[in-house]
Amino acid sequence: MALDREIIEKLAIRLDAAQTGRAPIGKITDDHPLMDWADAYAIQDSLKTIQSARGVEIAGLKMGFTSRAKMAQMGVKEPINGFITRQGRVPQGGSLHRAKFINPRIEAEIAVVTSAELKGPGCHIGDVFRSVAHVFPALEVIDSRYRDFAFDLPSVIADNTSAAGWMIGDDGASPIGRDLKNIGVVMRKNGQVVATASGAAVLGHPLNSVAMLANMLARRGLTIPAGTLILTGGITAAIMVDTGDRVAIDFQGLGTIGINIH
Ligand code: 0L1
Ligand code: MG
């Protein structure tokens, strides 16, 4: 680690203020170029502590940058992870208040809830199959706290991977007998198709993302407890949304979810 505790806490306070005040900031690595991934996750943890202290509740975990194309574009070999909050939940069919965000974008995801603890290192997709109780159609709202999306990987990790909101469908499905890599996903904005993809866009299979999360957490001495909700990462590209938009996403065999922006 390159940063001391005091700097880590100051940077977390800065990111929290940017989020609550909808006031974007420059990327934090401009001032701390030696900041490494351990520092970045320490800032994210500090952000979680700050938010928990004012009553924000952790609802689950998320993976980000899980599409190979997006990783290649960023020149990284590994996705990133963060947390989602109960306050960030939008009920199925609900609305997002545009004024609460800086530049909100929406991406289609598959979410899972685990039924047994998952631990790395060495966690494999087979372990995940045995430990996932339900899969859900989902979407994530991302909102970078960095001005003009000018960020790098450590900055995004510190900013809790741009997490800003999420929705899952009301009805979960068993993963048994379901080919999650071949689930077709169609995203529409205001009735027009804006993105299509299949589950394989997420690391070849959305459950690979859960295995990778367990292995990433193991490096920090953490596990995925039973009963954890996990957003496995964007299946489609993230699309910009604005007041008056409606986004609907069809997940083959899992149902449709929709969100209104007002
Ligand atoms: O959920 C994610 O894939 C993280 C995206 C972080 C970067 C961004 O704001 O686009
Ligand atoms: Mg995402």
Side-chain angles (χ1 to χ4, degrees):
M1 287 185 68
L3 304 184
D4 65 29
R5 195 70 234 159
E6 195 183 334
I7 306 259
I8 284 169
E9 279 165 17
K10 270 194 186 142
L11 291 171
I13 290 168
R14 197 150 121 203
L15 281 162
D16 184 54
Q19 184 174 348
T20 54
R22 269 83 69 190
I25 58 174
K27 71 177 189 299
I28 57 180
T29 46
D30 288 344
D31 294 336
H32 301 283
L34 298 181
M35 187 179 133
D36 61 23
W37 281 44
D39 294 312
Y41 279 109
I43 296 166
Q44 188 193 108
D45 285 347
S46 181
L47 189 65
K48 192 195 291 175
T49 304
I50 292 166
Q51 297 184 348
S52 299
R54 65 162 181 270
V56 172
E57 291 168 41
I58 307 308
L61 301 173
K62 62 161 280 191
M63 287 287 275
F65 288 137
T66 45
S67 106
R68 293 275 176 211
K70 210 163 163 181
M71 277 193 276
Q73 187 184 29
M74 291 292 293
V76 293
K77 296 203 164 30
E78 197 171 48
I80 57 179
N81 64 79
F83 61 90
I84 57 173
T85 67
R86 191 181 63 72
Q87 285 76 3
R89 180 172 192 178
V90 183
Q92 180 174 333
S95 298
L96 199 69
H97 190 26
R98 169 69 183 88
K100 290 189 174 166
F101 302 88
I102 300 166
N103 285 307
R105 287 162 293 148
I106 289 179
E107 51 192 19
E109 306 221 1
I110 286 175
V112 304
V113 175
T114 59
S115 56
E117 184 185 44
L118 278 164
K119 273 188 200 186
C123 183
H124 185 266
I125 188 168
D127 305 318
V128 181
F129 264 114
R130 286 187 288 277
S131 308
V132 162
H134 292 103
V135 296
F136 295 85
L139 63 80
E140 184 179 23
V141 183
I142 52 176
D143 192 27
S144 177
R145 270 59 70 164
Y146 297 112
R147 201 172 297 118
D148 303 325
F149 312 104
F151 51 66
D152 53 17
L153 257 283
S155 300
V156 177
I157 292 167
D159 184 27
N160 190 23
T161 68
S162 305
W166 55 280
M167 174 188 290
I168 61 171
D170 288 339
D171 301 313
S174 166
I176 295 166
R178 205 169 282 276
D179 185 3
L180 291 177
K181 68 181 182 315
N182 282 319
I183 284 187
V185 175
V186 178
M187 188 187 229
R188 289 187 179 77
K189 181 166 125 176
N190 305 326
Q192 303 287 324
V193 174
V194 286
T196 57
S198 79
V202 182
L203 296 174
H205 193 297
L207 298 192
N208 276 333
S209 174
V210 179
M212 189 176 276
L213 175 62
N215 293 328
M216 290 172 83
L217 292 177
R219 280 184 232 142
R220 296 159 62 206
L222 303 170
T223 65
I224 304 175
T228 302
L229 169 65
I230 302 164
L231 297 187
T232 61
I235 300 174
T236 60
I239 57 151
M240 301 284 298
V241 289
D242 215 335
T243 310
D245 287 340
R246 172 169 173 78
V247 174
I249 312 171
D250 301 322
F251 294 78
Q252 186 185 7
L254 285 180
T256 297
I257 57 174
I259 188 166
N260 302 302
I261 322 299
H262 68 86

